[in-house]
Amino acid sequence: MPKLVDHEQRRRLLTEAVFAVISTQGFEAVSLRDVAQQAGVSMGTVQHYFPTKQQMLSFALSHMRERVLARLQATVGALREPTRRDLIRAATAVMLPVDPAGREEACVNIAFFSAATVTPAYAEQLRDGYGRILAVSIANFREAARLGELRDGINPDVEAPALYFLTQGLIGPILVGLYRPDEALALIDAQLDRVFRPPSS
Amino acid sequence: MPKLVDHEQRRRLLTEAVFAVISTQGFEAVSLRDVAQQAGVSMGTVQHYFPTKQQMLSFALSHMRERVLARLQATVGALREPTRRDLIRAATAVMLPVDPAGREEACVNIAFFSAATVTPAYAEQLRDGYGRILAVSIANFREAARLGELRDGINPDVEAPALYFLTQGLIGPILVGLYRPDEALALIDAQLDRVFRPPSS
DNA sequence: TTTTTTTTAATGCGAACGCATGATAACCGT
DNA sequence: ACGGTTATCATGCGTTCGCATTAAAAAAAA
């Protein structure tokens, strides 16, 4: 009907349909027809905003990164007078699939990780996105070290990647039901207890 | 030509072709025709040993677990008078995609992890397989604790999962080129340094 | 109002898919 | 030696895929 539509917003809307299909039927089941039906539009509409399926998925991956970052910043921003430990713990927890939104994001991310092993373009996007998050985490740990919140002998440049990859490693097992979210959080808290000084007094 | 073929061996051979296709063209590209061509047989042969594609992939997943366990036991068994730390480090290192075989296994595993988010049968197989490995790791850490190889205040029931999931979390980033294998091993060694007593005398 | 452009939908096409069928050839038990 | 079983292959069928094409409707431009 209209002509007054925001192109980018329309693409993001369709991308949400892509996420729904991936997380409920799997990455390999994503077809233009499925996405169109999920979004409640015709197949031609999908084609109008994404000339090819590859472009649709590539845009979806970039949009997923934005979604994760937005959720991360929203969660971190909601903290009132947080310590560095609070910041780091919150940023870590949002990456775990604990709520439906987090689970959907985790399903989509692992799907793209798998696809990235044979699609260099995806690999590059993932490197960029996760490299950025890791860099922020390292900066956070260094700031914590500077503020003296870390125990003696703790190297922030080691502990930041260690916590980050531990978190990444917990996602898959949670998704398949090998580990429960509360067990994962307990593991993360144990790691934080080891790295951070106890609340002094 | 023959009638004298070992059914299971034939299935494993075809499964190796499945692994090759997954790790070079991706999970979604696996078709009966691709597998047949990769194995150098006709499509009918593949159908003869696997009535459906689903059964083929399910068998492939179970065979992958055996392959990982075999490589793990071979590596661990090759150690001469190992300490517990040696055992644990070796078992951890074989799970990282450092050589082509390890990379292929990692690609296949992450593909099945992704598929498992929408295919409960895969999830169950993965839970069983990885749960088993984790249990062995915990047993190893407990034995190390019993032998007094761990530092004071180190809880093997915490450190075993922590090291295990850290390792799992390193696989994806290595696969997409975000982290190098030597960086990953350095991180693991740092974790082991923290957990194990320094070589005493 | 008329024209043009944009959005949406409907349909067609060639290719590839999983799976079923039938034919051929080689080994086996008797 | 020979019928029966088994391994292998080639081919066909119905479906679904990504993508191209075309048409209709509505807003923007004239």
Side-chain angles (χ1 to χ4, degrees), chain B residues 56-145:
Chain B
M56 179 179 75
L57 290 175
S58 194
F59 182 88
L61 177 51
S62 70
H63 178 52
M64 170 53 71
R65 186 177 75 176
E66 294 172 10
R67 238 185 71 165
V68 170
L69 288 176
R71 214 158 61 91
L72 197 154
Q73 290 175 354
T75 304
V76 167
L79 297 178
R80 293 285 148 229
E81 299 186 10
T83 64
R84 283 286 144 179
R85 173 169 176 162
D86 293 335
L87 283 176
I88 290 171
R89 188 187 192 277
T92 301
V94 292
M95 290 197 287
L96 293 178
V98 291
D99 53 12
R103 181 180 176 88
E104 184 182 61
E105 287 174 8
C107 288
V108 173
N109 272 320
I110 197 175
F112 274 108
F113 251 104
S114 174
T117 61
V118 292
T119 307
Y122 295 159
E124 186 180 341
Q125 287 183 261
L126 288 172
R127 273 199 306 274
D128 188 70
Y130 283 94
R132 223 175 275 260
I133 295 179
L134 180 55
V136 171
S137 178
I138 291 176
N140 264 333
F141 267 89
R142 284 182 179 165
E143 180 67 8

Side-chain angles (χ1 to χ4, degrees), chain A residues 26-191:
Chain A
F27 190 81
E28 54 177 328
V30 174
S31 71
L32 301 185
R33 287 164 179 84
D34 285 338
V35 173
Q37 184 178 1
Q38 178 72 37
V41 298
S42 80
M43 207 179 116
T45 299
V46 179
Q47 288 183 281
H48 182 248
Y49 290 101
F50 297 110
T52 70
K53 183 184 177 183
Q54 290 280 344
Q55 293 181 40
M56 179 180 73
L57 290 174
S58 195
F59 182 87
L61 178 51
S62 71
H63 178 52
M64 170 53 72
R65 188 178 74 175
E66 293 172 12
R67 239 184 70 164
V68 171
L69 288 176
R71 214 159 59 91
L72 198 154
Q73 291 175 355
T75 305
V76 166
L79 298 178
R80 293 285 149 229
E81 298 186 10
T83 63
R84 284 287 143 178
R85 173 169 177 162
D86 293 334
L87 282 176
I88 290 171
R89 187 187 191 279
T92 301
V94 292
M95 289 197 287
L96 292 178
V98 291
D99 53 12
R103 181 179 175 88
E104 184 182 58
E105 288 174 6
C107 286
V108 173
N109 272 320
I110 196 174
F112 273 108
F113 251 106
S114 175
T117 62
V118 292
T119 307
Y122 294 159
E124 186 180 341
Q125 286 184 260
L126 288 171
R127 272 200 307 275
D128 188 69
Y130 283 95
R132 223 176 276 259
I133 295 178
L134 180 54
V136 171
S137 178
I138 291 176
N140 265 333
F141 266 91
R142 285 183 180 163
E143 181 66 8
R146 198 186 62 81
L147 295 174
E149 295 187 19
L150 302 188
R151 290 180 190 266
D152 295 333
I154 292 295
N155 182 354
D157 291 351
V158 170
E159 298 303 335
L163 180 66
Y164 177 74
F165 292 120
L166 169 63
T167 309
Q168 290 297 311
L170 284 163
I171 294 175
I174 293 176
L175 283 181
V176 301
L178 174 62
Y179 228 55
R180 294 196 312 273
D182 61 294
E183 293 175 308
L185 284 172
L187 215 50
I188 286 172
D189 283 328
Q191 190 84 346

